[in-house]
Amino acid sequence: MTPPKITALSMVRALNEALRSALDEDPKVLVMGEDVGRLGGVFRVTDGLQKDFGEDRVTDTPLAESGIVGTAIGLALRGYRPIVEIQFDGFTFPAFNQIVTQLAKLHARSEGVLRLPVVIRIPYGGGVGAIEHHSESPEAYFAHTAGLRVVTPSTPEDAFWMLRQAISTDDPVIFFEPKRRYWEKARADLSSPPAALHAARVVRPGRDLTLVAYGPMVGLCVEAAEAAVAEGRDLEVLDLRSLSPIDFDAVQASLERTRRMVVVHEAPVFFGAGAEVAARITERCFYHLEAPVLRVGGYHSPYPASRMEHEYLPTVDRVLDAVDRALSY
Amino acid sequence: MTPPKITALSMVRALNEALRSALDEDPKVLVMGEDVGRLGGVFRVTDGLQKDFGEDRVTDTPLAESGIVGTAIGLALRGYRPIVEIQFDGFTFPAFNQIVTQLAKLHARSEGVLRLPVVIRIPYGGGVGAIEHHSESPEAYFAHTAGLRVVTPSTPEDAFWMLRQAISTDDPVIFFEPKRRYWEKARADLSSPPAALHAARVVRPGRDLTLVAYGPMVGLCVEAAEAAVAEGRDLEVLDLRSLSPIDFDAVQASLERTRRMVVVHEAPVFFGAGAEVAARITERCFYHLEAPVLRVGGYHSPYPASRMEHEYLPTVDRVLDAVDRALSY
Amino acid sequence: MSTDVADAAGGEGGAPVRAHEPELVQLLTPEGERVDHPAYAIDLTPAELRSLYRDMALTRRFDGEAVALQRQGELALWVSALGQEAAQIGSARATRRTDYVFPSYREHGVAWCRGVDPLSLMSMYRGVTNGGWDPHATNFHLYTIVIGPVALHATGYAMGVAKDGADMAVMCYFGEGGSSQGDLSEAFNFAAVNNAPVVFFCQNNQWSISTPYEKQSRVPVYQRAAGFGFPGVRVDGNDVLAVMAVTRAALDHARGHNGPVLVEALTYRMGAHATSDDPTRYRLAEETAVWERKDPIARLRTYLERQSLAGADFFAHVDAEADALAARVRDGLRSMPDPGPTEFFDHVYAGQHALVDEERAQFEAYLSTFEETTR
Amino acid sequence: MSTDVADAAGGEGGAPVRAHEPELVQLLTPEGERVDHPAYAIDLTPAELRSLYRDMALTRRFDGEAVALQRQGELALWVSALGQEAAQIGSARATRRTDYVFPSYREHGVAWCRGVDPLSLMSMYRGVTNGGWDPHATNFHLYTIVIGPVALHATGYAMGVAKDGADMAVMCYFGEGGSSQGDLSEAFNFAAVNNAPVVFFCQNNQWSISTPYEKQSRVPVYQRAAGFGFPGVRVDGNDVLAVMAVTRAALDHARGHNGPVLVEALTYRMGAHATSDDPTRYRLAEETAVWERKDPIARLRTYLERQSLAGADFFAHVDAEADALAARVRDGLRSMPDPGPTEFFDHVYAGQHALVDEERAQFEAYLSTFEETTR
Ligand SMILES: Cc1ncc(C[n+]2csc(CCOP(=O)(O)OP(=O)(O)O)c2C)c(N)n1
Ligand SMILES: Cc1ncc(C[n+]2csc(CCOP(=O)(O)OP(=O)(O)O)c2C)c(N)n1
Ligand SMILES: [Mg+2]
Ligand SMILES: [Mg+2]
């Protein structure tokens, strides 16, 4: 079951390969969630896994997210490494109590005695024309919660490696999967990890301004950077990859090169990741900044019905508008 | 049942008076929660209310926070105005799904048809030597959630008026009560509201730097400002009072006067309210800032056992340390 | 092992033992024969029987039309109620106008009976709105996508009804999958403790997406009720008469200040979970075929025909009505306008909120730069 | 109203009807007389009976000492187990060393039987730590303050035990108040569906802070189990023999691959909810007095004395042991060191985390400015 080395594959397939190899290598690894078995999950990320590893390793659960995460915690206390699938972003909240008051805190509560190697996979974000609660970006809730690690890949290669790394981490990891990127194919090198789990990565170097993004918005920022070339602007794109911790050294290094920064995410701007990046980078690089760090993101509104999502979400135009404003300082 | 006009009273008493007068004026107002009846709540905020208004208006619920908030939503849909008590900050999370996916969104989901005048009172914050989950400051989770209003008083007078205003608001209000201030007495004018629910207030004017705080930290910042006088520093203290919305006009006005700002809260700094204030104020007032907006708050750790809380929480010294740093730019 | 414990477990074996399937309340057999039940009687006029048929047939028609319209790209998604018409029409027709109904997201037949325009339902699945209708107009609440919370809303509403002393009951629909959510159990408990006039109506269509009922619960859903201290009944959910009779009794019970009731209607989801779903991945065609023979509409039609309660002209008339309804829905959906670009700012709060105002102003200013460009 | 629905409701009346109190399993009457039960037998040696007495007496003693130490400021809080000794010792002594136990926050007697030092329990209530002991050492999990979640941890742990094929069971303690949390019901369901070897042990001490049981549930807790498809038993929680017999049977049932059991031990919280609580605000002294006559320790003592299974020297020896234990606890607590000022950074994560490192470095730098000042 060695995964193919370099190949073009979708993120769904990359995640599937990561789960498959983890199940294969470690008998303690379990996959659990609603419809992850015969169906292979509503996005087919777990396709074929139950067939190959059995119902005891890949398990359909009752419809109860608190139950899923709560029993995963119990299984972890028993020495297992459960990987939980939450069906959609908006259905994380029934499990929120388990995640915030228990999963995040048990290691600290036990003064390091108990380990909670639980990965919670959450397909997140919008732009796919879905109904309510199927397009949300709740990452800020988790990044604010000490004891959790929060990561999100933007490419199939990262998806594969970051999931492998998350599974082998002894801390709980909230693993956000940008569902609008699930089906995009890209070449992926599955022979060695591109970076550490929490390292940010310069996706596109540039000199005039840094676009900071993660997950679904990385691709959009690359598009924006390419569009900006026509206007003679050379934008750097930095993929955070991890939201807890955030690789501020990489953010700072980029800012010191470009001196201007725009943070882009789908989640509402208010109390979102952009605020943390802006606040900390402004503190770290006060004298380097030529303009305030600007933010582009969702508005302070429940995620709207899908026929308004194009207006609600960041677009290339909205990113370029912010770039214009940042460059006008 | 007219409340006394100007008097010295504790915040617990002020809140009790506010609930009493609301129950008295509007038969649709209900008080519900664990032990709010005969016991009067673990903090006695609802003391005597069941005796005076009956079990039908002031109701002890089963031990289930999702049930409490969920039935409060149903009661609101039926035309009631429920005021829910969550016993301690750390017990808000079982109700998180109800609050975030339902309470916050039903008005928008119904395109304005349904109104959700529910107030959720949460005693919050630390410094009282309590066991785990009794000292947390979860306000960022709620401020990030569109559809909720989030407020927190710092004085008995504000507690009285802001709770009255919250109860008469047609939107859901998360009402955070700084439990470490519950028993401090202060003169309160109960004859007319001091300000609108969402207005920030300059508690102490100053010229050299603005300390932005809310709830339990306002008093600490005033102490810090008084201590700073000895060093010849004139610090302004701004009480935000509301975290959703934040009165950024007031914050900006203060910053434009003082040109330096430190935000202080008990909640962890990472993805906390300080980040939002820093990011937005830096955007609004880039050329006015002499120093980056600095933040003092809890660390990225679960709230520690109480014998470490003095180290974990902001203190006058830590605030003054940040002031020194801000003034050294 | 003591006998007490072993007895209640239903056996000594190691594997989970499915409890003996309890008898279903049934008044009309799959073959269309009228049978009696000792506890539940129903006596409907021929006109009433025909109108039950009509509601089921029209529901099936606009529901099927929606599936087609989804394929044509007019809807983002549709969740079909195919096969559940008896459970929905029978229960909905048992409610009074003054009762208040909380649906889940598949109660198109209930919505129909309550007077909600099918186009309103579709506006939500089209992506035009997250709501779609005014619940006050029909006492039919909005669909709710997150499974669980609404059971507590229904309970709270019913607690309010009790406070008001109003002569009405509250209905709360959910699926057997939903029964696993903690919120359902909390609702059962709050309703019992408060003696709230609410009927919990579970459509056990045996599938929660790809998860069969035996992975959801060890025992039938209706048995949950006794553990919280109130009655539960299991009814043949493909028998519109039995569903109506049982639901009427349950609503009367609730209205009569006797507290909640849990009704489990045993039915079957004939179609996919939703238009995005492919049931061939997880269930056998044979299983669906078995249930085809229990079809709720065919069953009533057989009865009406055999008893000469309805003739060919009646069925032709209903077919024509169904065609007209489908055409209206099709046209209405195709010409349904999109929302304006800033509408999502409109109802975040009932009152004024500075942040929303600020963001709206910024967004409008941004949009206006395009207007200038195009001008 | 049909009889089906009415029957299950337990009556036609408008008010919530408390179901007929079911018979408790009892083997030792409040008067200290040994009685038989058709399903639950127990046969203990005199030494075993005496050691049950000893465990109860020592638990009561260090528990009472903790209350006193809280008053003296040595503990931030204490939640007394006074009156619940039989429920705790009887059930704990039914577990095997290899079983794994999930307590709530009041199981001091269980902790004692598992070998957890009372000082460790007190270190948490002193504010020195949020944990206090190594669960692996005694198979006794940490106390958990948020009520509800732990039932699912126990269930998941038991699911793991089943996967491992290990010959053991899992115990999960909770209060009757906790039974209302959705997580408990989800745990019941997951345990039933997975046939997990877990015993849910409810101490119904009749009060959840100030909330009496009749506001918590309409029926006895043990009845909840049947609704999820597994057995429930109610036992006299002040009868250490009955508790032990029933819990043994339940654990055997679980270990024997028959799935979960719910045991409800009917007992009474003799003291305040916690040292911060004032029960005179909400309950009558008369009620407490009634329960004093059912005291679990006095009951066993009477039996031991009447049957001449223990003499004055035994009781004197236990008293002396208790005195010594109290003294050790007192001294240990008074000399218990405070944690270091940066310890809260130590175990946020098992691995390295850049933010924690950064904040720790900043905090240490800040602290060092004081050291310089004092130097
Ligand atoms: C809290 C939550 N988790 C997951 C989902 C995704 N989901 C939508 S429908 C469904 C299955 C529901 O099954 P059931 O309750 O039996 O109702 P049915 O769809 O069969 O009518 C699931 C898992 C959801 N909507 N809400
Ligand atoms: C989720 C949650 N809500 C509220 C509380 C506050 N609280 C602590 S103990 C208690 C009462 C618990 O009653 P019960 O479950 O019967 O256990 P007992 O205290 O009687 O042992 C409450 C409400 C809590 N700890 N957790
Ligand atoms: Mg179903
Ligand atoms: Mg209790």
Side-chain angles (χ1 to χ4, degrees), chain B residues 56 66-67 78 80 98 148 171, chain C residues 153 163-164 183 186 349-350:
Chain B
D56 210 44
S66 186
R78 180 71 196 163
Y80 285 89
Q98 287 284 357
L148 303 175
D171 291 309
Chain C
H153 307 169
K163 281 183 204 297
D164 298 342
D183 271 6
E186 292 192 14
Y349 297 92

Side-chain angles (χ1 to χ4, degrees), chain D residues 84 105-106 175-178 203-209 211 269:
Chain D
Q84 301 180 214
Y105 46 77
R106 198 191 288 283
E176 87 294 342
Q203 288 169 79
N204 182 346
N205 65 7
Q206 312 203 35
W207 290 93
S208 165
I209 309 187
T211 309
R269 195 194 77 207

Side-chain angles (χ1 to χ4, degrees), chain D residues 5-158:
Chain D
V5 170
D7 279 0
E12 288 281 343
V17 182
R18 276 304 285 269
H20 169 72
E21 287 290 338
E23 206 197 346
L24 290 176
V25 177
Q26 197 179 69
L27 297 177
L28 196 62
T29 69
E31 294 71 35
E33 308 219 20
R34 201 55 182 77
V35 291
D36 280 337
H37 188 277
Y40 297 95
I42 197 158
D43 192 16
L44 299 177
T45 64
E48 283 171 327
L49 289 166
R50 283 193 300 269
S51 83
L52 287 174
Y53 177 89
R54 175 178 172 273
D55 282 343
M56 292 199 287
L58 294 185
T59 295
R60 181 168 291 183
R61 182 55 178 272
F62 83 72
D63 182 84
E65 191 65 30
V67 172
L69 285 161
Q70 194 280 335
R71 299 235 167 83
Q72 294 162 31
E74 295 294 336
L75 293 174
L77 186 82
W78 185 250
V79 294
S80 167
L82 185 69
Q84 301 180 214
E85 292 87 356
Q88 299 197 1
I89 306 298
S91 58
R93 291 284 300 271
T95 63
R96 295 189 192 152
R97 276 286 141 231
T98 46
D99 294 335
Y100 197 93
V101 177
F102 286 86
S104 79
Y105 46 77
R106 198 191 288 283
E107 278 67 47
H108 315 317
V110 183
W112 169 260
C113 294
R114 300 295 304 181
V116 177
D117 188 334
L119 272 173
S120 301
L121 307 176
M122 291 181 201
S123 69
M124 192 270 263
Y125 284 108
R126 184 177 168 89
V128 167
T129 169
N130 287 327
W133 56 94
D134 176 356
H136 299 316
T138 53
N139 277 8
F140 183 78
H141 192 66
L142 298 174
Y143 281 175
T144 303
I145 301 300
V146 177
I147 293 170
V150 79
L152 283 158
H153 307 168
T155 302
Y157 196 100

Side-chain angles (χ1 to χ4, degrees), chain C residues 45-55 93 300 304 308-311 314 318:
Chain C
T45 64
E48 284 171 326
L49 289 166
R50 283 193 301 268
S51 82
L52 287 173
Y53 177 89
R54 175 179 172 272
D55 282 342
R93 291 283 301 270
L300 184 60
L304 290 173
S308 306
L309 297 166
F314 168 74
V318 170

Side-chain angles (χ1 to χ4, degrees), chain C residues 121-273:
Chain C
L121 307 176
M122 291 181 202
S123 69
M124 192 271 263
Y125 284 109
R126 184 178 169 90
V128 167
T129 169
N130 288 327
W133 56 93
D134 176 354
H136 298 316
T138 54
N139 276 9
F140 183 78
H141 191 67
L142 298 174
Y143 280 176
T144 303
I145 301 301
V146 177
I147 294 170
V150 78
L152 283 159
H153 307 169
T155 302
Y157 197 99
M159 286 159 59
V161 164
K163 281 183 204 297
D164 298 342
D167 180 26
M168 60 181 282
V170 176
M171 275 285 276
C172 176
Y173 288 89
F174 62 105
E176 87 294 343
S179 73
S180 298
Q181 286 285 8
D183 271 6
L184 266 290
S185 290
E186 292 192 14
F188 296 160
N189 192 43
F190 272 71
V193 165
N194 289 288
N195 207 43
V198 54
V199 173
F200 297 105
F201 191 93
C202 177
Q203 287 170 80
N204 182 347
N205 65 7
Q206 312 202 34
W207 290 93
S208 164
I209 308 187
S210 73
T211 309
Y213 185 60
E214 59 268 23
K215 291 193 183 161
Q216 200 71 243
S217 171
R218 204 170 174 173
V219 285
V221 181
Y222 81 94
Q223 294 186 6
R224 221 45 77 76
F228 293 92
F230 63 96
V233 193
R234 195 179 231 206
V235 61
D236 181 342
N238 283 15
D239 171 353
V240 70
L241 301 185
V243 171
M244 193 166 172
V246 167
T247 312
R248 268 191 185 166
L251 288 164
D252 285 346
H253 179 91
R255 279 192 221 96
H257 312 293
N258 302 299
V261 181
L262 169 54
V263 177
E264 175 185 10
L266 194 70
T267 179
Y268 192 79
R269 194 194 77 207
M270 292 300 295
H273 166 70

Side-chain angles (χ1 to χ4, degrees), chain D residues 213-238:
Chain D
Y213 185 59
E214 59 267 25
K215 291 192 185 164
Q216 200 71 244
S217 171
R218 204 170 172 172
V219 285
V221 181
Y222 82 93
Q223 294 187 5
R224 222 42 80 74
F228 292 92
F230 64 95
V233 192
R234 195 179 232 207
V235 61
D236 181 342
N238 283 15

Side-chain angles (χ1 to χ4, degrees), chain B residues 98-322:
Chain B
Q98 287 284 357
I99 296 173
V100 168
T101 73
Q102 305 304 315
L103 184 61
K105 295 184 173 56
L106 263 161
H107 181 71
R109 187 179 301 146
S110 70
E111 299 177 291
V113 173
L114 303 175
R115 306 233 148 167
L116 280 299
V118 177
V119 176
I120 302 188
R121 296 179 37 243
I122 308 177
Y124 82 124
V128 297
I131 59 170
E132 202 187 351
H133 305 290
H134 289 67
S135 305
E136 300 171 5
S137 298
E139 63 271 17
Y141 298 115
F142 300 97
H144 185 53
T145 306
L148 303 175
R149 296 175 181 273
V150 182
V151 301
T152 176
S154 65
T155 65
E157 181 172 308
D158 266 0
F160 177 85
W161 285 111
M162 290 172 73
L163 185 52
R164 293 295 322 254
Q165 291 163 324
I167 295 168
S168 58
T169 298
D170 275 346
D171 291 309
V173 180
I174 312 296
F175 194 90
F176 281 107
E177 301 172 359
K179 70 171 88 76
R180 69 154 88 177
R181 305 292 175 197
Y182 263 167
W183 305 278
E184 290 173 9
K185 284 199 181 181
R187 273 172 64 86
D189 181 349
L190 306 190
S191 59
S192 70
L197 182 57
H198 300 292
R201 190 182 55 221
V202 176
V203 175
R204 183 192 193 283
R207 281 162 313 177
D208 299 335
L209 180 148
T210 303
L211 293 174
V212 174
Y214 52 86
M217 291 290 94
V218 173
L220 186 92
C221 286
V222 170
E223 269 182 70
E226 274 154 20
V229 171
E231 298 168 44
R233 284 167 180 175
D234 185 18
L235 308 184
E236 177 148 318
V237 178
L238 185 75
D239 180 358
L240 287 181
R241 297 171 83 249
S242 170
L243 293 171
S244 178
I246 291 178
D247 183 355
F248 279 111
D249 291 344
V251 184
Q252 176 169 356
S254 178
L255 188 278
E256 286 174 2
R257 284 193 296 273
T258 63
R259 294 170 162 263
R260 287 179 167 86
M261 184 168 279
V262 173
V263 191
V264 183
H265 50 63
E266 292 192 14
V269 162
F270 195 61
F271 279 69
E276 183 60 41
V277 171
R280 201 162 295 242
I281 278 306
T282 306
E283 181 173 346
R284 284 205 184 193
C285 314
F286 191 62
Y287 293 120
H288 283 93
L289 279 171
E290 301 280 352
V293 176
L294 299 184
R295 298 176 284 167
V296 178
Y299 293 104
H300 192 68
S301 145
Y303 197 92
S306 61
R307 295 211 172 215
M308 285 176 275
E309 71 181 340
H310 184 73
E311 279 70 36
Y312 177 83
L313 289 172
T315 54
V316 166
D317 281 337
R318 272 179 63 204
V319 171
L320 292 178
D321 174 68

